[in-house]
Amino acid sequence: MTATATTQRPLPVPDTLSTPFWAAARDHALHMQRCDSCGHMAYPPEIACRACGGDHLHFAPVSGRATLHSWTVLHEAPAPGFRDRLPLILAVVELEEQPGLLMSTNLVDADPAALRIGMPLRAWFENITDQCALVQFRPAGR
Amino acid sequence: MWAHRNKVAVAGVGYSKLERRSGRTLAALTLEACDAALADAGLLRSDLDGIATSPSMPRYGGRKGVDEGIDIVTPWYLADLLGAAGRVQWIGSTNGMVTQSLIDSALAIIAGLCDHVLVYRSLHVPEGRYVNFDTAHAVGTDQYLAPYGFSMPPAWAAVVLRRYFELHGYDRRDFAHYIAANRANAQRNPHAYWRGKSLSEADYIDARMIADPLSILDCDIPVDGCCALILTSAERARHLRQPPALLTGFAASAYQGASGTPMNLEDMWSGARALGRRLWDMTGLTPADVDTAQLYDGFSVLVLTWLEGMGFCRDGEGLGLLRDGYGDLDGKLPINTGGGALGEGRLHGMTQLAEAVAQVTDRAGVRQVPGGACALATISNGLAKSTAFLFSRDS
Ligand SMILES: [Zn+2]
C-alpha cells in the first residue's frame, strides 16, 4: 500500500473535455458528444471528430437504451473500493444511437448466468458522492 | 516489395535471468542481458553505436516507473552504464511497444547512421498487487474506466475472450489443449520462467479466475528481467559468430478502433488484418510461406485474434484449429514455440522476437521446427502500437 492508498472507489476527475458529460450524469442524464458537421457520436469525448475531422462537437442527450456487447465477472475487487460489490459485472454496452458506440460500465440487478450478447439494457444512475453520479446499466424492463 | 528486404539482421540475442521479483536492480539485469547479446554476436561494448528501447513501465493506479535503474532503464542511462555514451550515433526511445524501436533501429542501420544497434526491453514488477487501482482520483482515460473497476488489462482482454466464446460457441475447455502444449514448449526453453513447471489441461480448466472467463493462466507472468537483441546489416552479420536472422519485412499500425473500451474483438481482427495486408504486400509472402508463428500472448485470446487476423484461417476458426493441434510443435503451424509470454514471462514481445530469431537460425534446440525458414512475430493486440515482423533464414 502506498501513501495514497484509499478504500474509496476511484472517482472521475472531470477535465476540459469531460466536464459536460459528468455534469449531465450528476443530473442523471446520459449525454454523448456529437459532431455538428456529420452527426457522428463519440465516447469518450474527443477534441475532433474521428469520422470527418470536424472540431465542432457538442454534448446531446441520448436515450440510455443499449445492448450488451460483452462482459466479464470479477470475484475479487479490482481496487479496494469495490470490496462490497462482488461479484462485480464489468460490461461493454453498445448504445442504441450508433453502431459501434461502446461504453465501459457496470451491470447491476443482473444475473451473471443469464447474460447474453445483444440483450437490451437501460441506463441507470447511481449517486456515488454528492458530487458524482455514475451511469450504470441494468436489464431493460426491470 | 521492400527494397531493403533481408538487408538487416539480428546477430545476437541475450537474456537476463527472468525472476518474479529479483533482488537485483533493473539496471543490473539489463546489463546482464545486453552483455549476453553482445557475447552471442561476438561483439564488444565498444562496437555499439546505436541503442533503442521503449522504457515505459506500465502500471495501473499507482506510481508509473520513475526511478532510473530501478523500475525503468532509459537508453541514455544505459549508454552511460555501457561506456558507450560518447560513441552512440543514434538513440531511439519510443512510446508504445519496444517493437517500434526494432523498426526504428533497422531504419537507422539502413540509413547508415550506425552499424551495431542494441534493442532491449527491461521490465520490473512493482511491490504489491500488480493491478490495484488504489487512488481515489481517476484522471484522463482512467476516468471512463476505473470508476467501474475496469482499470485492469485482464478485464479488457476478458471481454474480448467472452465475446469470442459467445459468438463462436466455444468455452475454456477448447483452449486447454493449446495452453498445455504452450507450457510444454516452455519446458524446452532454458530462458522460460515456467521451465520446470508443467501444466495439464485440467490445471487450466480449474485455474483461478481473474476476470471470468479469463483465468490467471490466460495472463503472461510479470517478471523482473530483460531481453536484448543486436541488429546490424546482413552483410556484417555474416562475419559474426552466429548465423543471421534476416529481417524480411515489417508492419506497424496506428489503428485505434472504437473507443469506450480499450480492446474489442472486431477491431482487433480489423487491425490485425490491416497489419497482415501490409506485411504480405511488403514482403511478397503469404501466410502459406510461414513456418512458425510467434504470436503475442500477453493474454491468451490474442493468439486467436492474431492467427485469424493475419489470415491463417477465418474469424472464429482459430480456437477449433488450436484445439485440434494446429499450433503444436509438430502441428501445421507451430505457434509460440518457446512458450510465448504465457510460458516465458512478460517482456512485451521480446519473447516472440527472440524465438523467431532462434527458429530461423537453427538455434532453438529441442524445440527447433525442422526447416523453419520463415518466422512471423506479431506484437501487442492488433490495435495502435501493434507491429508484425517476418524473419528469414540466410540461404
Ligand atoms: Zn464529424
Side-chain angles (χ1 to χ4, degrees):
Chain A
M1 292 287 233
T2 64
T4 58
T6 175
T7 53
Q8 188 186 322
R9 181 176 184 147
L11 296 179
V13 179
D15 55 35
T16 310
L17 277 175
S18 68
T19 292
F21 175 82
W22 292 116
R26 206 160 53 225
D27 295 336
H28 289 200
L30 181 60
H31 287 197
M32 286 282 137
Q33 200 190 34
R34 196 165 189 278
C35 172
D36 286 357
S37 306
C38 76
H40 186 79
M41 288 189 172
Y43 180 84
E46 309 261 15
I47 290 167
C49 175
R50 281 210 212 166
C52 76
D55 57 0
H56 290 281
L57 303 154
H58 291 99
F59 284 89
V62 292
S63 66
R65 284 191 292 270
T67 55
L68 184 58
H69 178 82
S70 194
W71 71 96
T72 177
V73 184
L74 303 191
H75 298 280
E76 284 181 42
F82 293 94
R83 279 183 192 136
D84 57 351
R85 293 175 174 265
L86 300 174
L88 181 69
I89 306 176
L90 309 184
V92 178
V93 304
E94 185 171 19
L95 298 183
E96 178 188 82
E97 279 74 14
Q98 178 176 296
L101 185 59
L102 303 180
M103 185 172 184
S104 297
T105 183
N106 298 129
L107 283 191
V108 296
D109 300 331
D111 169 11
L115 300 180
R116 297 288 177 268
I117 287 176
M119 70 187 282
L121 306 169
R122 271 318 279 261
W124 172 77
F125 290 85
E126 181 180 359
N127 294 325
I128 305 295
T129 67
D130 289 347
Q131 289 302 308
C132 173
L134 289 178
V135 56
Q136 317 263 309
F137 283 78
R138 60 196 340 172
R142 295 189 68 171
Chain B
M1 208 135 68
W2 189 34
H4 299 280
R5 194 174 184 261
N6 296 337
K7 301 276 178 63
V8 172
V10 176
V13 180
Y15 278 84
S16 74
K17 191 167 195 301
L18 305 182
E19 294 180 275
R20 185 76 175 104
R21 284 192 174 86
S22 170
R24 301 160 63 203
T25 63
L26 193 60
L29 296 169
T30 303
L31 283 175
E32 180 180 327
C34 294
D35 282 334
L38 286 166
D40 189 46
L43 291 167
L44 302 171
R45 288 183 178 187
S46 55
D47 292 312
L48 288 178
D49 53 6
I51 184 164
T53 192
S54 173
S56 68
M57 162 67 201
R59 195 181 176 196
Y60 303 89
R63 263 157 49 98
K64 307 199 188 231
V66 288
D67 296 329
E68 185 75 90
I70 303 299
D71 55 9
I72 53 167
V73 177
T74 66
W76 299 275
Y77 179 73
L78 182 62
D80 247 341
L81 292 181
L82 289 167
R87 202 175 44 257
V88 165
Q89 295 279 349
W90 175 82
I91 279 196
S93 177
T94 62
N95 288 320
M97 301 297 280
V98 65
T99 44
Q100 191 68 53
S101 304
L102 190 82
I103 294 174
D104 297 345
S105 301
L107 298 179
I109 288 166
I110 289 164
L113 280 175
C114 30
D115 290 342
H116 303 107
V117 180
L118 174 71
V119 180
Y120 67 99
R121 182 60 166 130
S122 304
L123 274 165
H124 172 67
V125 184
E127 287 173 28
R129 280 178 63 186
Y130 195 79
V131 169
N132 191 25
F133 206 98
D134 62 3
T135 162
H137 306 292
V139 303
T141 54
D142 285 340
Q143 71 186 294
Y144 309 105
L145 301 169
Y148 304 107
F150 229 127
S151 47
M152 43 193 266
W156 309 342
V159 296
V160 179
L161 182 59
R162 169 83 67 186
R163 190 165 166 85
Y164 187 96
F165 281 170
E166 296 287 319
L167 288 180
H168 298 289
Y170 296 111
D171 63 34
R172 286 175 51 76
R173 287 168 298 185
D174 298 302
F175 230 147
H177 172 79
Y178 171 79
I179 302 287
N182 178 77
R183 180 66 72 87
N185 291 348
Q187 305 311 301
R188 305 179 179 99
N189 180 350
H191 302 295
Y193 175 85
W194 288 116
R195 187 177 168 94
K197 293 202 176 90
S198 62
L199 181 76
S200 70
E201 295 188 25
D203 291 337
Y204 173 72
I205 290 164
D206 296 339
R208 178 166 67 89
M209 283 297 148
I210 298 295
D212 195 345
L214 190 109
S215 77
I216 185 108
L217 295 175
D218 294 286
C219 305
D220 61 2
I221 176 86
V223 291
D224 278 342
C226 179
C227 176
L229 305 174
I230 305 288
L231 262 68
T232 186
S233 70
E235 217 34 66
R236 276 187 297 270
R238 292 189 180 105
H239 302 288
L240 295 176
R241 181 172 293 160
Q242 303 293 353
L246 305 179
L247 177 60
T248 304
F250 58 80
S253 173
Y255 175 76
Q256 296 278 1
S259 41
T261 180
M263 298 185 204
N264 93 73
L265 178 62
E266 281 77 4
D267 281 316
M268 287 157 64
W269 274 327
S270 298
R273 253 192 295 281
L275 271 172
R277 270 195 301 274
R278 283 188 201 168
L279 185 69
W280 309 129
D281 284 352
M282 184 183 199
T283 58
L285 299 174
T286 72
D289 296 309
V290 173
D291 298 306
T292 70
Q294 316 299 336
L295 306 176
Y296 188 75
D297 58 347
F299 299 105
S300 60
V301 63
L302 302 177
V303 172
L304 305 175
T305 52
W306 278 121
L307 186 65
E308 295 163 3
M310 293 303 287
F312 291 97
C313 61
R314 286 200 292 272
D315 293 353
E317 279 182 359
L319 189 48
L321 291 174
L322 296 187
R323 182 187 56 207
D324 298 339
Y326 177 88
D328 291 2
L329 209 47
D330 59 357
K332 187 156 188 296
L333 179 72
I335 294 172
N336 291 344
T337 47
L342 291 180
E344 209 173 343
R346 170 182 299 167
L347 283 171
H348 282 169
M350 291 300 269
T351 47
Q352 271 75 23
L353 294 168
E355 184 65 14
V357 169
Q359 288 290 343
V360 300
T361 54
D362 247 335
R363 297 206 285 149
V366 291
R367 62 187 195 281
Q368 180 67 45
V369 173
C374 178
L376 170 70
T378 64
I379 290 91
S380 195
N381 60 8
L383 301 175
K385 300 167 184 171
S386 297
T387 50
F389 299 85
L390 280 178
F391 289 96
S392 297
R393 181 170 299 224
D394 197 17
S395 47

